Amino acid sequence: MGRMEQRRQEARKKRKMKRWIFIPLLVIVLPLTLFGTYLGYKVVTTASDMQEDLARGEKSEKRDEAVDISKDHFSVLFLGVDTDDPNENSRADALILATFNREDSSIKLLSIPRDSLVDIPGRQNRDKINHAHAFGGVDLTIDTVENMLDIPVDFYTKMNFHGFVDIIDALGGVEVDVPFDFETHGTEGSANMVYFEEGRQHLDGEEALGYVRMRKQDPRGDLGRGERQQEVMEAVIRRAGSISSVARYDDVLDEIGNNMSTNLSLGNILSLHPYAQSLDSIETVNLSGNDLTQNGVYYYQVSEDSLQEARERLKVHLDMIEEPHTYSAQEANGYE
């Protein structure tokens, strides 16, 4: 075998490793085949420890029957919460919905601004979408997202932000492109400030948390924060795919087990393999709108047109509706 061919094979192996890492789940399936019995056992036990079913059961009310990841299109809601207590229903500081199309193994990602003014089922007045988790945990949050987007939310993954910090540190940090200079507080509040300078920067866990949470200093508000959250997710993909230390995978699995819950089973997670090819080309769906202040409280008012467009794109991706036909100028004027 020539040296050039050997390098090509090595490059292909590195790409394959990267694609096996499905983040935001951060469940590392690759150790099952690369690192033998010990880490394989840890992956199984970690998946078991973090599995937590929904009160509604395994099926969304918007489904006739429960989905099978190995053959159906499906959706996953990713939640970031600011608490270490699994019994405490704090506000959700990050809400990201992903839809998966089995036919072409494609992924669409929608970041929902946490201050979006929405109807929360069972509540008299409209409120911020992140309050749904404080009112009724993951179940009410899923009901609210389903009501907002008119699509089923089949699965969820929830992580607390202290766990996010520990997992980033276990990976050895991430690289991001900071868009402008700013400072923000870390996990311990204003006594622990985190500073950022425009340009390429290596972030540890504490810095990464500050980077994805800051909104008020961003001229684009929640939209800018959503893009930074997606950037960090992509950076973790790159970092997780580049590490080779068994000990580091071991540390990451420990942090996942301690800080994450999901209704995805290990079998579900293993069935995500066909989507590995799509991790480098995730298509984002955006919600635009305007700032709104009512009774001294800030909200984000999502544009109805933007919301309707997002609903249609996600429904098409889940094969719930056909893609709307775009008429040409000739068709619009009655010509064939």
Side-chain angles (χ1 to χ4, degrees):
M1 180 186 298
R3 180 171 297 180
M4 185 64 69
E5 179 61 26
Q6 184 176 0
R7 288 179 179 175
R8 289 197 187 101
Q9 288 191 7
E10 290 174 352
R12 284 195 292 269
K13 289 179 181 178
K14 289 180 180 179
R15 288 195 296 272
K16 186 175 181 181
M17 174 182 284
K18 178 178 179 181
R19 290 164 180 162
W20 265 96
I21 310 301
F22 181 68
I23 179 80
L25 292 181
L26 279 173
V27 177
I28 301 178
V29 179
L30 189 59
L32 282 169
T33 55
L34 289 188
F35 299 126
T37 304
Y38 170 66
L39 282 184
Y41 171 76
K42 286 209 68 170
V43 169
V44 173
T45 55
T46 298
S48 177
D49 289 343
M50 71 182 185
Q51 187 170 356
E52 187 174 313
D53 294 332
L54 294 166
R56 72 177 190 193
E58 62 178 0
K59 183 183 74 67
S60 166
E61 291 184 0
K62 292 185 177 292
R63 295 283 193 188
D64 293 329
E65 57 185 36
V67 300
D68 180 348
I69 284 183
S70 66
K71 62 181 181 181
D72 297 325
H73 314 309
F74 63 96
S75 63
V76 182
L77 180 65
F78 300 101
L79 297 170
V81 298
D82 192 10
T83 180
D84 292 324
D85 185 351
N87 298 314
E88 179 185 349
N89 286 339
S90 64
R91 291 176 295 181
D93 274 4
L95 301 97
I96 298 175
L97 182 78
T99 58
F100 299 77
N101 184 286
R102 188 72 187 184
E103 185 175 344
D104 59 8
S105 297
S106 61
I107 304 169
K108 292 189 187 296
L109 203 64
L110 171 69
S111 180
I112 305 174
R114 68 173 189 176
D115 294 320
S116 297
L117 184 61
V118 298
D119 291 312
I120 298 178
R123 306 292 296 186
Q124 183 175 358
N125 299 318
R126 304 186 83 200
D127 208 332
K128 296 182 180 184
I129 194 169
N130 70 333
H131 287 184
H133 190 268
F135 296 144
V138 175
D139 286 276
L140 184 57
T141 303
I142 287 177
D143 288 345
T144 303
V145 172
E146 287 189 335
N147 184 67
M148 177 187 185
L149 298 174
D150 193 30
I151 65 169
V153 175
D154 301 303
F155 302 98
Y156 82 91
T157 295
K158 180 174 77 171
M159 176 183 289
N160 69 62
F161 279 128
H162 284 80
F164 173 87
V165 169
D166 293 339
I167 288 172
I168 296 292
D169 285 338
L171 287 170
V174 293
E175 297 282 335
V176 299
D177 288 310
V178 180
F180 49 82
D181 295 351
F182 69 93
E183 62 180 42
T184 187
H185 62 78
T187 55
E188 302 303 323
S190 58
N192 183 21
M193 298 301 293
V194 184
Y195 302 91
F196 300 90
E197 294 183 359
E198 181 179 352
R200 195 71 175 168
Q201 192 168 335
H202 183 88
L203 307 182
D204 63 19
E206 184 83 6
E207 292 166 337
L209 179 60
Y211 188 69
V212 300
R213 294 184 71 180
M214 187 277 290
R215 174 184 63 82
K216 293 183 178 180
Q217 299 175 64
D218 194 317
R220 301 182 64 221
D222 267 324
L223 297 181
R225 175 168 54 188
E227 289 184 0
R228 279 181 276 113
Q229 290 172 354
Q230 292 171 357
E231 179 189 15
V232 169
M233 288 167 62
E234 293 173 3
V236 175
I237 293 174
R238 293 191 294 270
R239 183 59 184 154
S242 68
I243 64 176
S244 59
S245 168
V246 175
R248 184 158 286 170
Y249 276 118
D250 194 9
D251 292 341
V252 171
L253 287 170
D254 283 339
E255 298 304 335
I256 290 173
N258 293 332
N259 297 287
M260 183 181 288
S261 63
T262 181
N263 64 336
L264 284 160
S265 67
L266 178 60
N268 293 148
I269 294 166
L270 291 172
S271 294
L272 292 170
H273 174 56
Y275 297 96
Q277 300 290 337
S278 303
L279 291 179
D280 289 335
S281 57
I282 296 173
E283 183 180 345
T284 59
V285 180
N286 297 311
L287 290 173
S288 60
N290 301 290
D291 296 335
L292 175 68
T293 301
Q294 292 183 344
N295 299 321
V297 179
Y298 170 81
Y299 299 95
Y300 187 73
Q301 181 70 65
V302 177
S303 159
E304 192 59 38
D305 289 342
S306 172
L307 180 58
Q308 184 59 32
E309 181 182 354
R311 286 171 178 162
E312 290 183 357
R313 290 180 65 184
L314 296 177
K315 285 181 178 181
V316 168
H317 197 232
L318 291 172
D319 201 25
M320 296 176 63
I321 62 172
E322 294 184 2
E323 188 164 3
H325 179 67
T326 301
Y327 290 91
S328 67
Q330 285 186 330
E331 289 175 317
N333 286 298
Y335 295 101
E336 293 296 332

